[in-house]
Amino acid sequence: MTATGRTVRSLLFAIVMSLLLLLLGCQAAPAPIRSDTELENLIKLCRVWGYVKYTHPAFLLGQKDWDEELLELIPQVRELETYEEANALLHNWFVSLGEINCGEASPAPVIPRTEVILTDTSWTTSAAYLGDVLSGDLGQLADLPYVDHSKAPIRWDDGENVFRNEGMPSPQYEDPGFRLLGLFRLWNAMEYYFPYKDSLDQDWVLYLEEYIPRILEGTDRHSYEMSIATLAFQLHDPHVWFEEPSPDGAGSLPLFSGELGYYFFPVPLAEAEGQLVVSETSGDCPLERGDILLSLNGTDMDQLVKERRQYEGYPREDTVVNRMRYTTLTRSQVETMEVEVLRGGETLLFPVKGRMFSLPEEIAPQTSHQLLEGGIGLIHLALLEEAEISEVMNSFRDTNGLIIDLREYPEGFRRYGLSAYFQIYTTPFITVYEPSRFVPGVYTVETRSGRDYCSMPPTDVYHYGKPVVVLMNNDRTQSNAEYFVAMFSLAENVTLMGETSAGAAGGRVYLPLPGNLKMAFSFERATKPDGTCWFQTGITPDIYVPRTIQGITEGRDEVMEAAVKYITDHK
């Protein structure tokens, strides 16, 4: 090779190496916190931006994009060296939003209900924390008149989708600003609209000290989603649920589906005696009712619980396996799962075909009511229509007792008229805390009865005063079903039987999050009128009747059997 050739080759090699180094230098790298001052300033940014986002007319009227404002502030705040510089920067930002002009605003109406403050906003006027100027800025946002919220971060006419105006920026997982936007949106939504912060393990603001560094240490989708999800799981809220779009774009799937697998276990499972047990069969599945799961794809179930519990939120320790059994614990990356079970004392191994994008179909009641042997009426509340309440109760007038099954979820409030037959229709059974439409972090409080929920009161009402009415309850008795338990527990002849309920109390909404995520959480607080709260703890039955492996194997409904026996013994 000539000298000229060697020179050209060396030059090309140098160019290639330079380009390679340039590309490597452009690869996303973690953006860790450099100092305590930077961390404290980012915490302050999160809190100030969130408060202004939910109160300033520039945002409430849709004149400014709250996400864009935050994304511009983040890199500026990260460069500051002192707390005073952060206060000055945030003051200048506040001024840049323009005058506090409420436009065609109207005074907030007087609400004839008690108000309680569940979020402490005293920091917004603390000169020691914000400085004199910035604290004065935020002080201007108190007691403003009510403005139209149709373009605001939260709007009040959309049921479960009150956060529908939140943007969904394209995923940029390597961008620190994008990552902090997701964290700050979630944190502030919970700060002002999650009503159970008093149940947390620590003050909500302290979680920012842990999660801001954590989310900045990652650069990929997995680390972002894990940071977001695990912060939400700190709420221990049974309503917390994450969804992401399915790969086919036809719907949504639980978060982490890509990691845990798109194949669901093909047959229903139940927890009994500390084990996961096959509770129903399917024609093309070799598993049988009563099979005890030992391992999945070569990993034993105890190990799977340890590995996968990070992907699931739970209200209390005894609910972990039950909540995980479909969404995280028995998911598979491969369609044909290798399932090891214990059957009749013998260990067996089966290839089992999973269901793609689809939960197993559990056998549900087929009719809203039926007459059992022994003259006992049975109502499956999830299937009972409001219009048939009178007909059903009149057909049960002369029964020896009544069983109301609350183990399936009763959608909506149309069945509350049933309480009229137990002389508790107008008796207050629940106190509801709803977020104020005027002041973030403030809740209006109202005690309600069945009449407040029932749009069509039943006719020909009589008092069903038979000695025993049994409510059947279990871990799937959640949210609205628990409202019914709280209501019927006021009747003198009602006994609750089964297992402890889930512990979800209050209405639920969805929060869109950057990265095409959707998070559900409890939006309202609910207690009994005496203040008793079943959030996280669930409602404990009067008579505990757990499922057993033998009962599942034999295909028996053990709670139903116990309820029938109890009524027969007490009629």
Side-chain angles (χ1 to χ4, degrees), residues 512-548:
L513 289 165
N516 296 318
L517 304 180
K518 189 165 70 169
M519 170 191 165
F521 69 96
S522 294
F523 191 62
E524 296 175 341
R525 183 182 180 99
T527 69
K528 293 181 180 180
D530 64 1
T532 301
C533 183
W534 64 86
F535 178 74
Q536 295 180 346
T537 64
I539 301 176
T540 304
D542 301 312
I543 300 175
Y544 182 62
V545 183
R547 302 192 76 173
T548 67

mmCIF file of all heavy atoms in Angstrom, residues 512-548:
data_model
loop_
_atom_site.group_PDB
_atom_site.id
_atom_site.type_symbol
_atom_site.label_atom_id
_atom_site.label_comp_id
_atom_site.label_asym_id
_atom_site.label_seq_id
_atom_site.Cartn_x
_atom_site.Cartn_y
_atom_site.Cartn_z
ATOM 1 N N PRO A 512 -54.402 10.958 33.007
ATOM 2 C CA PRO A 512 -53.456 10.658 31.925
ATOM 3 C C PRO A 512 -52.053 11.087 32.335
ATOM 4 O O PRO A 512 -51.870 12.140 32.963
ATOM 5 C CB PRO A 512 -53.967 11.506 30.750
ATOM 6 C CG PRO A 512 -55.322 11.992 31.164
ATOM 7 C CD PRO A 512 -55.325 12.041 32.647
ATOM 8 N N LEU A 513 -51.051 10.296 31.977
ATOM 9 C CA LEU A 513 -49.671 10.612 32.324
ATOM 10 C C LEU A 513 -48.791 10.522 31.088
ATOM 11 O O LEU A 513 -49.040 9.697 30.203
ATOM 12 C CB LEU A 513 -49.154 9.648 33.393
ATOM 13 C CG LEU A 513 -49.739 9.838 34.793
ATOM 14 C CD1 LEU A 513 -49.437 8.630 35.665
ATOM 15 C CD2 LEU A 513 -49.206 11.111 35.437
ATOM 16 N N PRO A 514 -47.768 11.372 30.999
ATOM 17 C CA PRO A 514 -46.849 11.286 29.860
ATOM 18 C C PRO A 514 -46.315 9.866 29.696
ATOM 19 O O PRO A 514 -46.026 9.182 30.681
ATOM 20 C CB PRO A 514 -45.721 12.254 30.258
ATOM 21 C CG PRO A 514 -46.375 13.233 31.181
ATOM 22 C CD PRO A 514 -47.395 12.437 31.938
ATOM 23 N N GLY A 515 -46.200 9.441 28.437
ATOM 24 C CA GLY A 515 -45.796 8.068 28.160
ATOM 25 C C GLY A 515 -46.973 7.190 27.816
ATOM 26 O O GLY A 515 -46.882 5.959 27.880
ATOM 27 N N ASN A 516 -48.118 7.807 27.463
ATOM 28 C CA ASN A 516 -49.319 7.060 27.078
ATOM 29 C C ASN A 516 -49.831 6.162 28.195
ATOM 30 O O ASN A 516 -50.316 5.054 27.947
ATOM 31 C CB ASN A 516 -49.062 6.235 25.813
ATOM 32 C CG ASN A 516 -48.755 7.092 24.608
ATOM 33 O OD1 ASN A 516 -49.399 8.116 24.388
ATOM 34 N ND2 ASN A 516 -47.755 6.702 23.828
ATOM 35 N N LEU A 517 -49.706 6.653 29.417
ATOM 36 C CA LEU A 517 -50.212 5.907 30.566
ATOM 37 C C LEU A 517 -51.521 6.515 31.040
ATOM 38 O O LEU A 517 -51.805 7.692 30.829
ATOM 39 C CB LEU A 517 -49.200 5.934 31.719
ATOM 40 C CG LEU A 517 -47.798 5.429 31.439
ATOM 41 C CD1 LEU A 517 -46.949 5.528 32.694
ATOM 42 C CD2 LEU A 517 -47.838 4.008 30.926
ATOM 43 N N LYS A 518 -52.299 5.688 31.709
ATOM 44 C CA LYS A 518 -53.532 6.157 32.341
ATOM 45 C C LYS A 518 -53.603 5.540 33.724
ATOM 46 O O LYS A 518 -53.501 4.328 33.868
ATOM 47 C CB LYS A 518 -54.752 5.779 31.500
ATOM 48 C CG LYS A 518 -56.041 6.427 31.992
ATOM 49 C CD LYS A 518 -57.151 6.343 30.963
ATOM 50 C CE LYS A 518 -57.669 4.946 30.770
ATOM 51 N NZ LYS A 518 -58.909 4.902 29.967
ATOM 52 N N MET A 519 -53.772 6.381 34.732
ATOM 53 C CA MET A 519 -53.762 5.916 36.120
ATOM 54 C C MET A 519 -55.106 6.185 36.774
ATOM 55 O O MET A 519 -55.612 7.305 36.745
ATOM 56 C CB MET A 519 -52.652 6.636 36.896
ATOM 57 C CG MET A 519 -52.704 6.418 38.400
ATOM 58 S SD MET A 519 -51.558 7.553 39.248
ATOM 59 C CE MET A 519 -52.158 7.400 40.951
ATOM 60 N N ALA A 520 -55.687 5.174 37.376
ATOM 61 C CA ALA A 520 -56.906 5.343 38.166
ATOM 62 C C ALA A 520 -56.532 5.510 39.628
ATOM 63 O O ALA A 520 -55.547 4.943 40.095
ATOM 64 C CB ALA A 520 -57.815 4.128 38.001
ATOM 65 N N PHE A 521 -57.320 6.313 40.355
ATOM 66 C CA PHE A 521 -57.094 6.468 41.788
ATOM 67 C C PHE A 521 -58.375 6.962 42.453
ATOM 68 O O PHE A 521 -59.310 7.424 41.784
ATOM 69 C CB PHE A 521 -55.935 7.438 42.074
ATOM 70 C CG PHE A 521 -56.219 8.889 41.737
ATOM 71 C CD1 PHE A 521 -56.659 9.774 42.708
ATOM 72 C CD2 PHE A 521 -56.032 9.362 40.447
ATOM 73 C CE1 PHE A 521 -56.911 11.106 42.409
ATOM 74 C CE2 PHE A 521 -56.291 10.694 40.131
ATOM 75 C CZ PHE A 521 -56.725 11.563 41.116
ATOM 76 N N SER A 522 -58.424 6.869 43.777
ATOM 77 C CA SER A 522 -59.601 7.310 44.531
ATOM 78 C C SER A 522 -59.649 8.833 44.573
ATOM 79 O O SER A 522 -58.700 9.491 44.993
ATOM 80 C CB SER A 522 -59.558 6.762 45.960
ATOM 81 O OG SER A 522 -59.680 5.358 45.968
ATOM 82 N N PHE A 523 -60.778 9.384 44.168
ATOM 83 C CA PHE A 523 -60.958 10.830 44.025
ATOM 84 C C PHE A 523 -61.811 11.400 45.153
ATOM 85 O O PHE A 523 -61.762 12.592 45.436
ATOM 86 C CB PHE A 523 -61.634 11.070 42.677
ATOM 87 C CG PHE A 523 -61.691 12.497 42.216
ATOM 88 C CD1 PHE A 523 -60.524 13.218 41.986
ATOM 89 C CD2 PHE A 523 -62.910 13.109 41.961
ATOM 90 C CE1 PHE A 523 -60.572 14.523 41.525
ATOM 91 C CE2 PHE A 523 -62.977 14.406 41.496
ATOM 92 C CZ PHE A 523 -61.808 15.115 41.275
ATOM 93 N N GLU A 524 -62.621 10.563 45.756
ATOM 94 C CA GLU A 524 -63.479 10.968 46.868
ATOM 95 C C GLU A 524 -63.124 10.150 48.110
ATOM 96 O O GLU A 524 -62.588 9.050 48.009
ATOM 97 C CB GLU A 524 -64.952 10.726 46.531
ATOM 98 C CG GLU A 524 -65.479 11.543 45.374
ATOM 99 C CD GLU A 524 -66.905 11.148 45.030
ATOM 100 O OE1 GLU A 524 -67.340 10.044 45.431
ATOM 101 O OE2 GLU A 524 -67.576 11.924 44.349
ATOM 102 N N ARG A 525 -63.448 10.691 49.251
ATOM 103 C CA ARG A 525 -63.261 9.989 50.516
ATOM 104 C C ARG A 525 -64.636 9.564 51.013
ATOM 105 O O ARG A 525 -65.613 10.308 50.874
ATOM 106 C CB ARG A 525 -62.597 10.921 51.527
ATOM 107 C CG ARG A 525 -62.269 10.286 52.885
ATOM 108 C CD ARG A 525 -61.669 11.333 53.812
ATOM 109 N NE ARG A 525 -61.342 10.798 55.122
ATOM 110 C CZ ARG A 525 -60.135 10.415 55.501
ATOM 111 N NH1 ARG A 525 -59.120 10.523 54.637
ATOM 112 N NH2 ARG A 525 -59.910 9.948 56.708
ATOM 113 N N ALA A 526 -64.708 8.374 51.574
ATOM 114 C CA ALA A 526 -65.982 7.889 52.098
ATOM 115 C C ALA A 526 -65.754 7.256 53.461
ATOM 116 O O ALA A 526 -64.801 6.502 53.659
ATOM 117 C CB ALA A 526 -66.606 6.872 51.140
ATOM 118 N N THR A 527 -66.628 7.585 54.396
ATOM 119 C CA THR A 527 -66.598 6.987 55.726
ATOM 120 C C THR A 527 -68.029 6.703 56.146
ATOM 121 O O THR A 527 -68.985 7.170 55.518
ATOM 122 C CB THR A 527 -65.961 7.922 56.770
ATOM 123 O OG1 THR A 527 -66.834 9.048 56.997
ATOM 124 C CG2 THR A 527 -64.600 8.429 56.323
ATOM 125 N N LYS A 528 -68.174 5.947 57.212
ATOM 126 C CA LYS A 528 -69.489 5.837 57.820
ATOM 127 C C LYS A 528 -69.784 7.150 58.554
ATOM 128 O O LYS A 528 -68.855 7.913 58.849
ATOM 129 C CB LYS A 528 -69.517 4.642 58.776
ATOM 130 C CG LYS A 528 -69.379 3.300 58.064
ATOM 131 C CD LYS A 528 -69.445 2.129 59.035
ATOM 132 C CE LYS A 528 -69.313 0.801 58.295
ATOM 133 N NZ LYS A 528 -69.371 -0.361 59.217
ATOM 134 N N PRO A 529 -71.040 7.438 58.833
ATOM 135 C CA PRO A 529 -71.360 8.710 59.484
ATOM 136 C C PRO A 529 -70.624 8.943 60.800
ATOM 137 O O PRO A 529 -70.382 10.095 61.176
ATOM 138 C CB PRO A 529 -72.873 8.609 59.707
ATOM 139 C CG PRO A 529 -73.349 7.732 58.598
ATOM 140 C CD PRO A 529 -72.259 6.712 58.427
ATOM 141 N N ASP A 530 -70.219 7.865 61.481
ATOM 142 C CA ASP A 530 -69.490 8.045 62.741
ATOM 143 C C ASP A 530 -67.999 8.263 62.519
ATOM 144 O O ASP A 530 -67.217 8.336 63.478
ATOM 145 C CB ASP A 530 -69.715 6.853 63.671
ATOM 146 C CG ASP A 530 -69.158 5.545 63.104
ATOM 147 O OD1 ASP A 530 -68.576 5.559 61.999
ATOM 148 O OD2 ASP A 530 -69.315 4.503 63.770
ATOM 149 N N GLY A 531 -67.590 8.363 61.248
ATOM 150 C CA GLY A 531 -66.188 8.600 60.930
ATOM 151 C C GLY A 531 -65.385 7.340 60.656
ATOM 152 O O GLY A 531 -64.224 7.419 60.243
ATOM 153 N N THR A 532 -65.970 6.174 60.874
ATOM 154 C CA THR A 532 -65.264 4.918 60.618
ATOM 155 C C THR A 532 -64.924 4.804 59.133
ATOM 156 O O THR A 532 -65.787 4.978 58.277
ATOM 157 C CB THR A 532 -66.121 3.708 61.030
ATOM 158 O OG1 THR A 532 -66.434 3.811 62.413
ATOM 159 C CG2 THR A 532 -65.376 2.411 60.762
ATOM 160 N N CYS A 533 -63.675 4.534 58.845
ATOM 161 C CA CYS A 533 -63.213 4.473 57.461
ATOM 162 C C CYS A 533 -62.701 3.069 57.150
ATOM 163 O O CYS A 533 -61.919 2.508 57.920
ATOM 164 C CB CYS A 533 -62.104 5.501 57.244
ATOM 165 S SG CYS A 533 -61.515 5.573 55.540
ATOM 166 N N TRP A 534 -63.124 2.486 56.043
ATOM 167 C CA TRP A 534 -62.679 1.144 55.675
ATOM 168 C C TRP A 534 -61.650 1.194 54.542
ATOM 169 O O TRP A 534 -61.274 0.171 54.000
ATOM 170 C CB TRP A 534 -63.871 0.272 55.267
ATOM 171 C CG TRP A 534 -64.599 0.717 54.040
ATOM 172 C CD1 TRP A 534 -64.286 0.399 52.744
ATOM 173 C CD2 TRP A 534 -65.756 1.551 53.975
ATOM 174 N NE1 TRP A 534 -65.177 0.989 51.885
ATOM 175 C CE2 TRP A 534 -66.094 1.701 52.616
ATOM 176 C CE3 TRP A 534 -66.540 2.183 54.933
ATOM 177 C CZ2 TRP A 534 -67.181 2.464 52.192
ATOM 178 C CZ3 TRP A 534 -67.623 2.945 54.513
ATOM 179 C CH2 TRP A 534 -67.937 3.070 53.157
ATOM 180 N N PHE A 535 -61.170 2.396 54.180
ATOM 181 C CA PHE A 535 -60.135 2.504 53.170
ATOM 182 C C PHE A 535 -58.919 1.690 53.603
ATOM 183 O O PHE A 535 -58.436 1.815 54.720
ATOM 184 C CB PHE A 535 -59.749 3.972 52.964
ATOM 185 C CG PHE A 535 -58.636 4.184 51.971
ATOM 186 C CD1 PHE A 535 -58.877 4.049 50.619
ATOM 187 C CD2 PHE A 535 -57.365 4.507 52.395
ATOM 188 C CE1 PHE A 535 -57.859 4.235 49.695
ATOM 189 C CE2 PHE A 535 -56.332 4.700 51.487
ATOM 190 C CZ PHE A 535 -56.583 4.568 50.136
ATOM 191 N N GLN A 536 -58.425 0.858 52.740
ATOM 192 C CA GLN A 536 -57.296 -0.057 52.946
ATOM 193 C C GLN A 536 -57.657 -1.236 53.859
ATOM 194 O O GLN A 536 -57.329 -2.379 53.567
ATOM 195 C CB GLN A 536 -56.071 0.664 53.517
ATOM 196 C CG GLN A 536 -55.473 1.698 52.573
ATOM 197 C CD GLN A 536 -54.268 2.394 53.169
ATOM 198 O OE1 GLN A 536 -54.003 2.306 54.366
ATOM 199 N NE2 GLN A 536 -53.527 3.108 52.345
ATOM 200 N N THR A 537 -58.332 -0.984 54.976
ATOM 201 C CA THR A 537 -58.598 -2.062 55.932
ATOM 202 C C THR A 537 -59.678 -3.006 55.449
ATOM 203 O O THR A 537 -59.683 -4.193 55.809
ATOM 204 C CB THR A 537 -59.016 -1.497 57.295
ATOM 205 O OG1 THR A 537 -60.257 -0.786 57.156
ATOM 206 C CG2 THR A 537 -57.950 -0.563 57.840
ATOM 207 N N GLY A 538 -60.620 -2.515 54.636
ATOM 208 C CA GLY A 538 -61.749 -3.320 54.224
ATOM 209 C C GLY A 538 -62.783 -3.431 55.331
ATOM 210 O O GLY A 538 -62.594 -2.935 56.446
ATOM 211 N N ILE A 539 -63.904 -4.067 55.022
ATOM 212 C CA ILE A 539 -64.986 -4.279 55.985
ATOM 213 C C ILE A 539 -64.958 -5.745 56.407
ATOM 214 O O ILE A 539 -65.069 -6.650 55.581
ATOM 215 C CB ILE A 539 -66.347 -3.917 55.380
ATOM 216 C CG1 ILE A 539 -66.348 -2.442 54.939
ATOM 217 C CG2 ILE A 539 -67.468 -4.173 56.386
ATOM 218 C CD1 ILE A 539 -67.617 -2.009 54.234
ATOM 219 N N THR A 540 -64.786 -5.971 57.695
ATOM 220 C CA THR A 540 -64.666 -7.326 58.231
ATOM 221 C C THR A 540 -66.046 -7.947 58.417
ATOM 222 O O THR A 540 -66.946 -7.307 58.963
ATOM 223 C CB THR A 540 -63.928 -7.300 59.581
ATOM 224 O OG1 THR A 540 -62.657 -6.661 59.399
ATOM 225 C CG2 THR A 540 -63.718 -8.705 60.111
ATOM 226 N N PRO A 541 -66.250 -9.177 57.974
ATOM 227 C CA PRO A 541 -67.574 -9.804 58.113
ATOM 228 C C PRO A 541 -67.892 -10.144 59.564
ATOM 229 O O PRO A 541 -66.986 -10.323 60.389
ATOM 230 C CB PRO A 541 -67.445 -11.073 57.269
ATOM 231 C CG PRO A 541 -65.986 -11.381 57.284
ATOM 232 C CD PRO A 541 -65.282 -10.054 57.294
ATOM 233 N N ASP A 542 -69.169 -10.247 59.861
ATOM 234 C CA ASP A 542 -69.589 -10.702 61.196
ATOM 235 C C ASP A 542 -69.227 -12.171 61.396
ATOM 236 O O ASP A 542 -68.849 -12.582 62.490
ATOM 237 C CB ASP A 542 -71.101 -10.523 61.349
ATOM 238 C CG ASP A 542 -71.537 -9.073 61.175
ATOM 239 O OD1 ASP A 542 -70.921 -8.189 61.796
ATOM 240 O OD2 ASP A 542 -72.473 -8.838 60.392
ATOM 241 N N ILE A 543 -69.359 -12.941 60.333
ATOM 242 C CA ILE A 543 -69.012 -14.370 60.379
ATOM 243 C C ILE A 543 -68.029 -14.643 59.259
ATOM 244 O O ILE A 543 -68.357 -14.487 58.071
ATOM 245 C CB ILE A 543 -70.262 -15.256 60.226
ATOM 246 C CG1 ILE A 543 -71.258 -14.961 61.352
ATOM 247 C CG2 ILE A 543 -69.876 -16.738 60.224
ATOM 248 C CD1 ILE A 543 -72.576 -15.704 61.206
ATOM 249 N N TYR A 544 -66.820 -15.018 59.619
ATOM 250 C CA TYR A 544 -65.767 -15.246 58.637
ATOM 251 C C TYR A 544 -65.893 -16.647 58.039
ATOM 252 O O TYR A 544 -65.888 -17.648 58.759
ATOM 253 C CB TYR A 544 -64.405 -15.085 59.313
ATOM 254 C CG TYR A 544 -63.224 -15.239 58.397
ATOM 255 C CD1 TYR A 544 -63.022 -14.365 57.331
ATOM 256 C CD2 TYR A 544 -62.301 -16.260 58.600
ATOM 257 C CE1 TYR A 544 -61.934 -14.503 56.492
ATOM 258 C CE2 TYR A 544 -61.199 -16.407 57.760
ATOM 259 C CZ TYR A 544 -61.025 -15.523 56.705
ATOM 260 O OH TYR A 544 -59.941 -15.663 55.880
ATOM 261 N N VAL A 545 -66.019 -16.705 56.723
ATOM 262 C CA VAL A 545 -66.130 -17.983 56.017
ATOM 263 C C VAL A 545 -65.137 -17.968 54.863
ATOM 264 O O VAL A 545 -65.429 -17.459 53.777
ATOM 265 C CB VAL A 545 -67.552 -18.234 55.479
ATOM 266 C CG1 VAL A 545 -67.630 -19.608 54.816
ATOM 267 C CG2 VAL A 545 -68.587 -18.112 56.585
ATOM 268 N N PRO A 546 -63.950 -18.516 55.064
ATOM 269 C CA PRO A 546 -62.953 -18.523 53.993
ATOM 270 C C PRO A 546 -63.186 -19.644 53.003
ATOM 271 O O PRO A 546 -63.851 -20.641 53.304
ATOM 272 C CB PRO A 546 -61.646 -18.743 54.761
ATOM 273 C CG PRO A 546 -62.059 -19.591 55.928
ATOM 274 C CD PRO A 546 -63.439 -19.119 56.310
ATOM 275 N N ARG A 547 -62.624 -19.499 51.818
ATOM 276 C CA ARG A 547 -62.649 -20.588 50.846
ATOM 277 C C ARG A 547 -61.624 -21.632 51.262
ATOM 278 O O ARG A 547 -60.576 -21.307 51.825
ATOM 279 C CB ARG A 547 -62.327 -20.071 49.448
ATOM 280 C CG ARG A 547 -63.272 -18.990 48.963
ATOM 281 C CD ARG A 547 -63.108 -18.727 47.486
ATOM 282 N NE ARG A 547 -63.741 -19.796 46.706
ATOM 283 C CZ ARG A 547 -63.867 -19.754 45.373
ATOM 284 N NH1 ARG A 547 -63.405 -18.728 44.692
ATOM 285 N NH2 ARG A 547 -64.445 -20.744 44.732
ATOM 286 N N THR A 548 -61.910 -22.887 50.980
ATOM 287 C CA THR A 548 -60.969 -23.963 51.270
ATOM 288 C C THR A 548 -60.613 -24.696 49.974
ATOM 289 O O THR A 548 -61.395 -24.673 49.004
ATOM 290 C CB THR A 548 -61.552 -24.972 52.264
ATOM 291 O OG1 THR A 548 -62.648 -25.672 51.639
ATOM 292 C CG2 THR A 548 -62.036 -24.281 53.530
#
